[in-house]
Amino acid sequence: MAKLLIKNGTFITMNSDDCVLQGSMAVEEDRITYLGSGVPDGEFDTVIDGTYRVYMPGFVNTHGHAAMSLLRGYADDLALQVWLEEKMWPNEAKFTAEDVKWGTMLSAAEMLLSGTTAFVDMYDHMDQVAAVVEQSGMRGCLTRGMIGLVPPDVQRAKLDEATAFVSAWHGKADGRITTMMSPHAPYTCPPEFIANIVQAAHELDQPIHIHMSETAREVAQNVEQYGERPVRHLEKLGVFSRPCLVAHGVHLTDEEISILAKYDVRVSHNPGSNLKLASGIARVPELLQAGVLVSLGTDSSASNNNLDLLEEVRLAALLHKGTTGDPTAVPAMEALRMGTVYGARSIWLDDVGTLEIGQKADFISINPERLHYYPNTNFVSHLVYAANSSDVMDVWVNGKQLVKDRELLTLDEEQIKHQFTACYERVIGK
Amino acid sequence: MAKLLIKNGTFITMNSDDCVLQGSMAVEEDRITYLGSGVPDGEFDTVIDGTYRVYMPGFVNTHGHAAMSLLRGYADDLALQVWLEEKMWPNEAKFTAEDVKWGTMLSAAEMLLSGTTAFVDMYDHMDQVAAVVEQSGMRGCLTRGMIGLVPPDVQRAKLDEATAFVSAWHGKADGRITTMMSPHAPYTCPPEFIANIVQAAHELDQPIHIHMSETAREVAQNVEQYGERPVRHLEKLGVFSRPCLVAHGVHLTDEEISILAKYDVRVSHNPGSNLKLASGIARVPELLQAGVLVSLGTDSSASNNNLDLLEEVRLAALLHKGTTGDPTAVPAMEALRMGTVYGARSIWLDDVGTLEIGQKADFISINPERLHYYPNTNFVSHLVYAANSSDVMDVWVNGKQLVKDRELLTLDEEQIKHQFTACYERVIGK
């Protein structure tokens, strides 16, 4: 670690509208100690000439299930409930800890190579996921997802597991791992179970992450079963009395948007997954207008089908223009914020997501020499509307370099492919 | 050229639903002479081990204005008419032949490196565009776009130029160049001018390419000005009495879709550009259902903002699911056909767009060793939903290799960047 200097670089700091800076950046241990148009004094262990690179904060992926890469391409072009109940759950039930390990490893490698430095993961066998985060050097906000359609003793066991996971891993890996508590969704958890989880979250001082209002069917079912739409239902169960990040939030009324804003509930917008599963298109301009913090998630690569956050940035910038008829909806800079700083704030990280003195050194470099960056003028526009995640050349998290010239430094790509394929063949068959 | 053999490859032939073949492919001069699970007899000048590659037909980009790469990122997040009239046209008016040459060169290089082997171009200074196609080795279907909001003598001069271009270039560059006649759009061409162009197209036996029904505003204006929506208007002017490719076709009624189907009019769907300019979302499932041939175009990189046809394939597969609520809308294979074989048929090429014995050897190789192709199972799904255009490793057109391991063989990338930047600085300023 020690002291790093990058000079002659172009820096997209993400801390204001006019945030492209030519100059240099210094990093000491895990933090940015200089960023400006000059060159700081002092001795440096590593000096990088950034002339042919653009630097920016890493992407933050605020919703996913990394191990499900094992099911990428297994079942496409199906409705969410059929896909979930007939194709995903029966296969996921076969996943062992080993499968979760290697599925997550492959996803971590894929995320790093596409510039993601922090990710949310809601799954099972979370000790394995935490170990991958620890080894990879990434930042992870991790949570044991609990589906409650099981007998009370199994619910209890899941809650104990979730609690133990928080106790074991919150704040670990030099603080790179944080945790949350996760009832899977209103439609997969009886109200009492959700209330129990909220209670535990209070006791553990943990935020809550939950799928909510992803499909119209789920909303209708909620009304039928509980007499209310999901937002009111979760409000009454106390979910929003904790800091809360909801995934999807596709089907929301104006009143529901107001409730989310009132409680400062964060929404992880997953445009790729929502389109692919035909769930619909979230009301992102209205959410942003109401002051709701909206970030971006890929969801799993079984419904996306990759973990490329830059694609979600582009979709967020394009989609809402096309569906609202307003070409100024979600401008380039706002989409890029959703993928970086808003993502960090959505998982309660205040010192990640921008390049500024005092912030954690989580950043990536981009190669602007590729043809789609010409003319070499408006880098924010080019990143959002023209770039490609394989333009990401280097990745640093917490001041440590994890990717160098597109080579992984902390993970063994060949070993991951080999072990992943073995898991796939065992679970799904050749 | 001579004889090429690729063995141990995976081939996505695109000629049936079940079109993934393990085996080998031979190419003699410009055509495929063998494709099967065995290995053909004979001597070969070049033998390639395709073990770590997936081969498929090259992408066909059926609508664009290549030289406008000079205006990439110049004006984003604006409505089409403002963007066009205030930002594009005044700058385009300054373009010299030299600017069109280098703008098109950069675009050709960008298209080749993202796997596009054939493209439609509607612009001015078309001799320059044709020369780029000739040099690059790509296939181009080229047309001098005519805006008719000018005095009659200027209209006449444009029509003469378009006619001369057809005479000079149709069938040239070993048949890689074909041509069309293009009234720019119903809202930019008085009816008599369109009728004159149709007459010329009959005399020259040329197809017609035209922008149509891109925005709701344009449709309303057509009704106001001519008492009819664009489809009926163009039908009466005889446009559909010629083979015809329309770009966009976003705002169409059921009746208009029937008319397009009746005349076998082809529609170039440009989802990225239509979203970005907030023009709307074309009724692609209904068009396909009605039997209309729908292909994909990027439009220019001033409204996209790249020329990555794989992105358009993905958007076509995702967007219509999300907006119709039907997760089976535009399945992966159909989207891939839109980007390849339907593209070729849309520009009246019958021997391009699939890998089959007797077809022209226009194909690309993909690197399936990148992480988003794992598990290495469903390549059609992975290409459409997970791939990245920088996975394209090699490109061949007409049996000649144009890209090898991501290096351009017919174009000089450094020279292009240098000349392009000089043009940009002259037109727009530093």
Side-chain angles (χ1 to χ4, degrees), chain B residues 279-357:
Chain B
S279 304
I281 295 167
R283 298 175 61 195
V284 169
E286 290 92 338
L287 283 163
L288 291 169
Q289 179 64 33
V292 175
L293 188 62
V294 183
S295 57
L296 294 167
T298 54
D299 210 344
S300 86
S301 44
S303 68
N304 187 298
N305 290 349
N306 61 35
L307 303 177
D308 183 340
L309 205 85
L310 185 60
E311 271 191 28
E312 306 303 318
V313 169
R314 180 160 313 152
L315 274 177
L318 291 177
L319 192 56
H320 306 290
K321 293 177 171 64
T323 51
T324 62
D326 175 7
T328 68
V330 193
M333 178 56 86
E334 188 73 347
L336 205 54
R337 282 192 201 104
M338 289 166 70
T340 54
V341 58
Y342 293 174
R345 299 298 172 268
S346 293
I347 52 174
W348 304 279
L349 298 177
D350 290 327
D351 53 3
V352 167
T354 60
L355 302 185
E356 289 177 276
I357 294 172

Side-chain angles (χ1 to χ4, degrees), chain B residues 101-123:
Chain B
K101 173 179 173 175
W102 293 106
T104 304
M105 276 279 194
L106 188 109
S107 292
E110 186 186 340
M111 285 192 271
L112 275 174
L113 287 169
S114 51
T116 291
T117 50
F119 70 104
V120 166
D121 202 62
M122 182 206 282
Y123 214 63

Side-chain angles (χ1 to χ4, degrees), chain A residues 72-73 76-77 275 305-306 311 314 321 327 332 369-370 374 377-378 381 385-386 388 390 406 417 424, chain B residues 72-73 76-77 275 305-306 311 314 321 327 332 369-370 374 377-378 381 385-386 388 390 406 417 424:
Chain A
R72 181 183 350 240
D76 299 307
D77 307 339
L275 288 175
N305 288 354
N306 61 35
E311 270 191 29
R314 179 160 313 153
K321 292 176 171 66
E369 285 300 302
R370 295 185 65 191
Y374 277 78
T377 47
N378 190 343
S381 165
Y385 296 121
N388 186 304
S390 66
R406 297 198 62 67
K417 288 176 185 173
Y424 173 79
Chain B
R72 180 179 357 235
D76 301 306
D77 307 339
L275 288 175
N305 290 349
N306 61 35
E311 271 191 28
R314 180 160 313 152
K321 293 177 171 64
E369 286 300 301
R370 295 186 66 191
Y374 278 75
T377 47
N378 190 343
S381 166
Y385 295 122
N388 185 306
S390 65
R406 297 200 60 67
K417 288 175 184 172
Y424 172 79

Side-chain angles (χ1 to χ4, degrees), chain B residues 230-253:
Chain B
V231 173
R232 279 277 183 218
H233 178 65
L234 294 184
E235 183 191 21
K236 287 194 181 162
L237 290 170
V239 170
F240 306 146
S241 67
R242 296 300 313 159
C244 184
L245 169 67
V246 299
H248 305 299
V250 175
H251 299 275
L252 297 173
T253 62

Side-chain angles (χ1 to χ4, degrees), chain B residues 177-197:
Chain B
I177 294 176
T178 54
T179 54
M180 302 186 285
M181 295 289 280
S182 289
H184 174 269
Y187 69 95
T188 54
C189 292
E192 325 72 66
F193 188 43
I194 294 179
N196 288 345
I197 297 170

